[in-house]
Amino acid sequence: MGSDNGPLLKRHRLAHYLAYHLFFLACAIFGTGVIKLHTNKKVHTPEKAQAPKKLKKSEEVKAPEKEELYNYKKSYLKKHFGCAEKFKEDLPVHSKETWKKYRDTYVSVVGEAESTIGDPEADFDGFGDISHFAKQSPGKGRGIFAGQDIAQDTLMWNGSRSAQFKDAHSFQKFLFDLEDDYLACDPLQWSYIFDLNKGKGKPDLRIVTDLDEGSFCNNGKSAGNMGYLDVSFEKERPRQNGIRPLFATRDIRKGEEILCSYGEFVANYGWSAFGM
């Protein structure tokens, strides 16, 4: 037996079928979004929140290299090496072996290409043929003395054994590499800032340490007997590494102490120019 409601019933069943599948399709789409949102959100448990971040290998903290440590003030270095106490003593006049150690250490720090002292093994100093000797000078510490009569205007000393440092790091590495507090204190006392371009334009500063007995030259101020003369006297006496030579500013008798005038060659900029 047939029924007039057959086509209507089919349409209801089709609508129900489509609604059913559309409902599950919508749930699937919506559910995926919810899952995605939840999986993207970072949720820290208390344990994870307190755990330190693990560094990548490239970010690992390393102890600074020794090369990076030499950036001290001069006052700190003097304190570190105990110079104040050492200078209360009558310090010895250096032997040839000690000067050689200074020169070898300097060359090892700056390299042969940058060295300004020539062959560190060679037996010469800035006084050339001028006879001189070093000993204790009453009230002044060590000093240098004429071993012969020296006529006024005689070339007495050049910078052929003057070590030049372009930066504070190299100078301070030199001090530490000596591995001797007494030997380190002497350059801290002797060294000075020199302008290789003085009077010619932009300053070209160096830390200079005379690695010969010229370092024992005490300050005579206005009574100095060794110093600069007019540049005309420098003809046929070329400057050694930019250092102006020193001449006898008057006659000097044998046995007389040789005295410099520090104000002539020490640059006004001082150690602050090198952060020291």
Side-chain angles (χ1 to χ4, degrees):
M1 294 175 53
S3 174
D4 292 337
N5 293 329
L8 180 62
L9 180 61
K10 289 180 179 179
R11 286 197 297 271
H12 277 292
R13 286 178 178 174
L14 180 61
H16 183 269
Y17 176 84
L18 290 174
Y20 178 83
H21 284 280
L22 286 173
F23 172 78
F24 277 99
L25 180 62
C27 287
I29 295 172
F30 179 74
T32 302
V34 171
I35 293 170
K36 189 173 183 180
L37 286 172
H38 278 279
T39 55
N40 283 347
K41 185 176 180 181
K42 294 181 180 178
V43 179
H44 292 288
T45 62
E47 292 78 15
K48 286 185 178 179
Q50 294 173 14
K53 179 184 176 183
K54 188 174 181 180
L55 294 174
K56 297 178 183 177
K57 282 191 176 181
S58 60
E59 297 175 330
E60 288 178 359
V61 178
K62 296 181 180 179
E65 297 292 335
K66 189 177 180 182
E67 297 286 337
E68 300 173 3
L69 300 180
Y70 301 111
N71 186 26
Y72 302 114
K73 297 291 185 182
K74 195 178 178 187
S75 57
Y76 169 82
L77 292 169
K78 287 183 175 180
K79 184 177 180 180
H80 172 81
F81 292 118
C83 299
E85 291 302 314
K86 290 175 175 59
F87 287 135
K88 292 178 182 178
E89 307 171 20
D90 286 335
L91 298 175
V93 171
H94 293 320
S95 64
K96 287 185 177 182
E97 290 72 23
T98 299
W99 287 120
K100 182 178 180 301
K101 180 173 182 178
Y102 274 125
R103 294 164 186 161
D104 286 342
T105 304
Y106 166 69
V107 174
S108 73
V109 170
V110 302
E112 291 184 8
E114 293 294 321
S115 170
T116 57
I117 63 170
D119 181 0
E121 307 294 326
D123 184 17
F124 71 89
D125 62 19
F127 286 96
D129 296 329
I130 299 295
S131 177
H132 65 286
F133 58 94
K135 68 173 186 176
Q136 296 295 327
S137 178
K140 299 176 184 176
R142 293 159 292 184
I144 47 175
F145 297 80
Q148 65 181 73
D149 290 334
I150 304 171
Q152 183 175 349
D153 300 340
T154 299
L155 174 64
M156 293 186 63
W157 179 90
N158 60 40
S160 57
R161 285 302 204 186
S162 296
Q164 297 181 21
F165 300 89
K166 294 181 179 180
D167 54 71
H169 165 77
S170 298
F171 174 69
Q172 294 181 32
K173 184 175 181 352
F174 164 70
L175 298 178
F176 282 96
D177 283 5
L178 289 168
E179 298 181 339
D180 185 306
D181 290 357
Y182 278 90
L183 295 188
C185 284
D186 272 345
L188 277 170
Q189 183 83 346
W190 302 333
S191 301
Y192 53 95
I193 308 302
F194 187 83
D195 182 4
L196 295 176
N197 206 32
K198 187 175 181 179
K200 298 179 182 178
K202 184 179 179 180
D204 187 9
L205 302 179
R206 297 288 189 275
I207 300 173
V208 177
T209 307
D210 301 325
L211 298 181
D212 61 15
E213 290 181 342
S215 289
F216 294 145
C217 190
N218 287 310
N219 190 10
K221 300 180 181 179
S222 59
N225 51 25
M226 182 171 75
Y228 294 153
L229 293 181
D230 188 271
V231 291
S232 61
F233 283 86
E234 296 180 25
K235 292 179 180 178
E236 300 180 1
R237 301 180 182 96
R239 298 184 183 188
Q240 300 290 326
N241 302 301
I243 302 292
R244 287 188 68 180
L246 301 178
F247 297 84
T249 56
R250 60 169 175 79
D251 291 341
I252 302 173
R253 299 185 305 276
K254 180 179 180 179
E256 185 179 352
E257 184 171 6
I258 297 171
L259 298 171
C260 301
S261 178
Y262 293 171
E264 282 189 322
F265 51 83
V266 176
N268 294 329
Y269 305 93
W271 291 90
S272 61
F274 288 88
M276 293 181 64

